[in-house]
Amino acid sequence: MIPGADSALATAAALGILHGLEPGHGWPVAAVYALARRRRWLSGTAAGAIIGSAHLVSSFAVVAVFALLDGWLGITELPWIERLAGLLLLAMAWWEWRRGHDHGHAHDHGHDHHHAADGPGDRGLWGITVFAFLLGFAHEEEFAILALCTGAASCWVVMGVYAVAVAGMILALTLASIATFNRLEDRLERWKHVLPRISAAILGLMGLLYLFGAI
């Protein structure tokens, strides 16, 4: 295996789990949609799978664009690309830390609590599908995953591990939220600001390792 590949895959999986936990990744939409249906578990599984699959497709679309650019410009063959990847990961770590700070500040003042499910679920599975694809391209984490795989492992594999982890967490949280009648969202909302900070710590560590050539 390519040196650093294990670290890249483990980091991608950890980031996928953490980001899938965040309410902003759409599982509350799937849960509220299912709770309004007669067959809650079937509806929740379908809605959660749609959102998770859309995230998977959008992630691979980002890799496809990167692969085209790499084939044209030879990005991964550049001698300084790992240092650049390290700087990008540090920049993403700062972004995640700031995001966690903003979420925590808003939560402390009681202005950030909202239900993302108001709207898309009311239009059925078609509405959720459209929402899911738009949501998949709205997150910036894919760029961090691209930086992780630069020179260390196949971007398709690393992104696949990340996207599957996100999709699995979305589906699991959707079903868990149905079981608790959506009280799970309220509980996780309290920890919403912590998740980006944990991601920031992971990205920062990997960025430093890349920057100083430790992996």
Short mmCIF file of all heavy atoms in Angstrom, two decimals, residues 50-62 133 136 142 159-167:
data_model
loop_
_atom_site.label_atom_id
_atom_site.label_comp_id
_atom_site.label_asym_id
_atom_site.label_seq_id
_atom_site.Cartn_x
_atom_site.Cartn_y
_atom_site.Cartn_z
N ILE A 50 -31.72 7.78 -0.09
CA ILE A 50 -31.67 8.77 -1.17
C ILE A 50 -30.68 9.88 -0.84
O ILE A 50 -29.82 10.25 -1.65
CB ILE A 50 -33.06 9.38 -1.43
CG1 ILE A 50 -33.95 8.35 -2.14
CG2 ILE A 50 -32.96 10.65 -2.27
CD1 ILE A 50 -35.39 8.80 -2.28
N ILE A 51 -30.75 10.42 0.38
CA ILE A 51 -29.85 11.50 0.77
C ILE A 51 -28.41 11.00 0.81
O ILE A 51 -27.48 11.66 0.34
CB ILE A 51 -30.26 12.08 2.14
CG1 ILE A 51 -31.61 12.78 2.00
CG2 ILE A 51 -29.21 13.05 2.66
CD1 ILE A 51 -32.17 13.33 3.30
N GLY A 52 -28.20 9.80 1.38
CA GLY A 52 -26.85 9.24 1.42
C GLY A 52 -26.29 8.96 0.03
O GLY A 52 -25.13 9.23 -0.25
N SER A 53 -27.13 8.42 -0.86
CA SER A 53 -26.69 8.12 -2.22
C SER A 53 -26.35 9.39 -2.99
O SER A 53 -25.39 9.43 -3.76
CB SER A 53 -27.77 7.33 -2.96
OG SER A 53 -28.01 6.09 -2.32
N ALA A 54 -27.16 10.43 -2.79
CA ALA A 54 -26.89 11.70 -3.45
C ALA A 54 -25.56 12.28 -3.00
O ALA A 54 -24.80 12.84 -3.80
CB ALA A 54 -28.02 12.69 -3.16
N HIS A 55 -25.26 12.12 -1.71
CA HIS A 55 -23.97 12.59 -1.21
C HIS A 55 -22.83 11.79 -1.85
O HIS A 55 -21.78 12.35 -2.19
CB HIS A 55 -23.93 12.44 0.32
CG HIS A 55 -22.96 13.36 0.98
ND1 HIS A 55 -21.59 13.19 0.87
CD2 HIS A 55 -23.13 14.46 1.75
CE1 HIS A 55 -20.98 14.14 1.56
NE2 HIS A 55 -21.89 14.93 2.09
N LEU A 56 -23.05 10.49 -2.04
CA LEU A 56 -22.06 9.64 -2.68
C LEU A 56 -21.81 10.08 -4.12
O LEU A 56 -20.66 10.20 -4.56
CB LEU A 56 -22.53 8.18 -2.63
CG LEU A 56 -21.57 7.12 -3.17
CD1 LEU A 56 -20.41 6.94 -2.21
CD2 LEU A 56 -22.30 5.78 -3.34
N VAL A 57 -22.89 10.33 -4.85
CA VAL A 57 -22.77 10.75 -6.25
C VAL A 57 -22.04 12.09 -6.36
O VAL A 57 -21.15 12.26 -7.20
CB VAL A 57 -24.16 10.84 -6.91
CG1 VAL A 57 -24.07 11.49 -8.29
CG2 VAL A 57 -24.78 9.45 -7.03
N SER A 58 -22.41 13.04 -5.51
CA SER A 58 -21.77 14.35 -5.57
C SER A 58 -20.29 14.26 -5.23
O SER A 58 -19.46 14.95 -5.82
CB SER A 58 -22.47 15.33 -4.62
OG SER A 58 -22.30 14.96 -3.27
N SER A 59 -19.94 13.39 -4.28
CA SER A 59 -18.54 13.21 -3.90
C SER A 59 -17.73 12.65 -5.06
O SER A 59 -16.63 13.12 -5.36
CB SER A 59 -18.44 12.28 -2.68
OG SER A 59 -19.08 12.83 -1.56
N PHE A 60 -18.28 11.65 -5.75
CA PHE A 60 -17.58 11.07 -6.88
C PHE A 60 -17.51 12.03 -8.06
O PHE A 60 -16.57 11.97 -8.87
CB PHE A 60 -18.23 9.75 -7.30
CG PHE A 60 -17.83 8.59 -6.44
CD1 PHE A 60 -18.78 7.72 -5.94
CD2 PHE A 60 -16.51 8.37 -6.11
CE1 PHE A 60 -18.42 6.65 -5.13
CE2 PHE A 60 -16.12 7.31 -5.30
CZ PHE A 60 -17.09 6.45 -4.82
N ALA A 61 -18.51 12.90 -8.18
CA ALA A 61 -18.46 13.92 -9.24
C ALA A 61 -17.28 14.86 -9.02
O ALA A 61 -16.60 15.25 -9.98
CB ALA A 61 -19.77 14.71 -9.26
N VAL A 62 -17.03 15.21 -7.76
CA VAL A 62 -15.88 16.06 -7.45
C VAL A 62 -14.57 15.35 -7.80
O VAL A 62 -13.65 15.95 -8.37
CB VAL A 62 -15.89 16.45 -5.95
CG1 VAL A 62 -14.59 17.16 -5.56
CG2 VAL A 62 -17.09 17.34 -5.64
N PHE A 133 -29.45 16.17 -3.74
CA PHE A 133 -28.39 16.44 -4.71
C PHE A 133 -27.85 17.86 -4.55
O PHE A 133 -26.65 18.09 -4.66
CB PHE A 133 -28.90 16.22 -6.14
CG PHE A 133 -28.84 14.78 -6.57
CD1 PHE A 133 -29.98 14.00 -6.60
CD2 PHE A 133 -27.63 14.21 -6.91
CE1 PHE A 133 -29.92 12.67 -6.97
CE2 PHE A 133 -27.55 12.87 -7.29
CZ PHE A 133 -28.69 12.10 -7.32
N GLY A 136 -25.65 17.79 -1.50
CA GLY A 136 -24.39 17.09 -1.70
C GLY A 136 -23.30 17.98 -2.25
O GLY A 136 -22.11 17.83 -1.91
N GLU A 142 -15.48 17.80 0.62
CA GLU A 142 -14.87 17.03 -0.47
C GLU A 142 -13.49 17.56 -0.84
O GLU A 142 -12.61 16.80 -1.25
CB GLU A 142 -15.78 17.06 -1.71
CG GLU A 142 -17.00 16.17 -1.62
CD GLU A 142 -18.19 16.86 -0.98
OE1 GLU A 142 -18.00 17.99 -0.48
OE2 GLU A 142 -19.29 16.28 -0.98
N MET A 159 -12.30 8.96 -1.30
CA MET A 159 -13.61 9.62 -1.35
C MET A 159 -14.73 8.62 -1.13
O MET A 159 -15.75 8.94 -0.51
CB MET A 159 -13.80 10.34 -2.68
CG MET A 159 -15.02 11.24 -2.73
SD MET A 159 -14.90 12.68 -1.66
CE MET A 159 -13.97 13.80 -2.72
N GLY A 160 -14.55 7.41 -1.64
CA GLY A 160 -15.56 6.37 -1.44
C GLY A 160 -15.73 6.03 0.02
O GLY A 160 -16.86 5.89 0.51
N VAL A 161 -14.61 5.89 0.74
CA VAL A 161 -14.67 5.60 2.18
C VAL A 161 -15.39 6.74 2.91
O VAL A 161 -16.26 6.50 3.77
CB VAL A 161 -13.25 5.42 2.75
CG1 VAL A 161 -13.28 5.41 4.28
CG2 VAL A 161 -12.64 4.13 2.23
N TYR A 162 -15.04 7.98 2.56
CA TYR A 162 -15.68 9.14 3.18
C TYR A 162 -17.19 9.16 2.90
O TYR A 162 -18.00 9.30 3.82
CB TYR A 162 -15.04 10.42 2.65
CG TYR A 162 -15.85 11.67 2.90
CD1 TYR A 162 -15.87 12.26 4.16
CD2 TYR A 162 -16.61 12.25 1.88
CE1 TYR A 162 -16.63 13.40 4.39
CE2 TYR A 162 -17.36 13.39 2.10
CZ TYR A 162 -17.36 13.95 3.36
OH TYR A 162 -18.12 15.08 3.59
N ALA A 163 -17.56 9.01 1.64
CA ALA A 163 -18.96 9.12 1.25
C ALA A 163 -19.80 7.98 1.83
O ALA A 163 -20.95 8.20 2.23
CB ALA A 163 -19.08 9.14 -0.28
N VAL A 164 -19.25 6.77 1.87
CA VAL A 164 -19.98 5.64 2.45
C VAL A 164 -20.18 5.86 3.95
O VAL A 164 -21.24 5.55 4.50
CB VAL A 164 -19.23 4.32 2.19
CG1 VAL A 164 -19.81 3.19 3.03
CG2 VAL A 164 -19.31 3.96 0.71
N ALA A 165 -19.15 6.42 4.63
CA ALA A 165 -19.28 6.71 6.06
C ALA A 165 -20.37 7.75 6.29
O ALA A 165 -21.19 7.62 7.22
CB ALA A 165 -17.95 7.20 6.62
N VAL A 166 -20.41 8.79 5.45
CA VAL A 166 -21.46 9.81 5.57
C VAL A 166 -22.84 9.18 5.33
O VAL A 166 -23.77 9.39 6.12
CB VAL A 166 -21.23 10.96 4.58
CG1 VAL A 166 -22.43 11.92 4.58
CG2 VAL A 166 -19.97 11.74 4.93
N ALA A 167 -22.95 8.42 4.25
CA ALA A 167 -24.24 7.82 3.89
C ALA A 167 -24.72 6.86 4.98
O ALA A 167 -25.90 6.85 5.34
CB ALA A 167 -24.12 7.09 2.56
#
